Amino acid sequence: MTTIGFIGLGHMGKAMSRHLLKAGNSLVVYDISPQAVQALTQEGATAADSLASLAEQCSVIFTSVQTGQQVADICLSHDGIFSHATRDLLYIDCSSIDVSTTQALHAEAEKLRITMLDAPVSGGVAGAEAASLTIMVGGSDTAFQRAQPLLKNLGKNIIHAGPAGHGQAVKICNNLLLGISMIGVAEAFTLAAKLGLDQKKFFDISSHASGQCWSMTSYCPVPGILPNVPANHDYQPGFTAAMMLKDLRLGQHAAEAVNASIPLGAVATELYELYVNQGCGETDFSGIIRLLAI
């Protein structure tokens, strides 16, 4: 039985940790929310009272938090997991953060003989709950092979993107495309409605034509067209607009770092900033259609 630590029990982390527990692993959990910890301990996990305590018990540790600073603090603080790691620790960060922080953590882990992977995920809360996530992994081949049996408990598409930081790079590019495409789908439906087209008929045509994309056919932002999407539930997330804005900003920073031109990404960032600043940060990112439909 592998003893796994899981740090960060939000919507994604809670679902992912449950799958690791159901797979027969011994699970030690930590979160700043006592309620989140209690929910997992009631299902058989053990609560850690500190990051150091968790690290000292576990041969594998996952993190799933929101920012690069949070990940760095978890790893590098005096009571963090790197300074209290067990021998031959495998550390897997499933957060979506910036490439530079990730690469710096890989470098520090290597100095301490900690095996690290950056493994951000795609698929949202529904994918986490169904264990159908796409997991994009950065790190060595050896580390990837070691982690695969565990990652298979969490996702259906587990892809080795390349060396350290490449998992985060893929996630940033993917969510840049997602944010842009959702705005494009929302604009098309808004224009179709104002031209007098029936929304369902437009969907039936465009979803089988060259306008087809995931944002339309799997996550349509118009209510009443697809089952089980946030649009049908007043845009309850899902994947929040605030998180999409965070990822688009990561895309902007990454582009600046390598002198890449992403003009549509810049416009998408501005639109999501406007939407979030209107108090809609905790609604689903597909709710951006309500901004465009004004």
Side-chain angles (χ1 to χ4, degrees), residues 151-165:
L151 296 176
K152 286 179 180 177
N153 295 310
L154 307 177
K156 288 186 176 179
N157 302 299
I158 303 161
I159 303 164
H160 189 200

Side-chain angles (χ1 to χ4, degrees), residues 91-236:
Y91 169 52
I92 305 171
D93 179 34
C94 295
S95 315
S96 296
I97 64 172
D98 59 286
V99 175
S100 59
T101 296
T102 292
Q103 290 177 331
L105 290 173
H106 272 277
E108 186 64 22
E110 186 174 5
K111 291 178 187 176
L112 299 171
R113 297 186 179 180
I114 294 169
T115 300
M116 178 177 170
L117 293 169
D118 52 291
V121 303
S122 180
V125 175
E129 291 176 344
S132 62
L133 295 167
T134 293
I135 307 176
M136 44 214 89
V137 185
S140 71
D141 290 336
T142 302
F144 178 69
Q145 294 303 322
R146 180 180 169 190
Q148 266 197 306
L150 295 173
L151 296 176
K152 286 179 180 177
N153 295 310
L154 307 177
K156 288 186 176 179
N157 302 299
I158 303 161
I159 303 164
H160 189 200
H166 280 212
Q168 296 296 353
V170 170
K171 180 63 186 293
I172 287 169
C173 294
N174 179 79
N175 279 28
L176 172 69
L177 179 57
L178 176 61
I180 292 169
S181 68
M182 181 56 74
I183 290 170
V185 169
E187 284 190 353
F189 273 104
T190 299
L191 177 59
K194 292 190 175 184
L195 290 172
L197 295 173
D198 178 86
Q199 298 281 66
K200 181 61 166 59
K201 288 184 179 179
F202 173 67
F203 173 84
D204 290 342
I205 294 168
S206 191
S207 64
H208 291 90
S210 55
Q212 187 277 334
C213 63
W214 186 91
S215 292
M216 175 177 284
T217 57
S218 296
Y219 215 83
C220 185
V222 176
I225 291 180
L226 290 178
N228 302 319
V229 294
N232 290 348
H233 305 287
D234 197 31
Y235 300 99
Q236 293 298 305

Side-chain angles (χ1 to χ4, degrees), residues 9 21 27 29 34-48:
L9 304 175
L21 190 60
L27 187 70
V29 295
Q35 293 83 4
V37 172
Q38 184 179 18
L40 267 296
T41 58
Q42 289 175 346
E43 298 179 30
T46 300

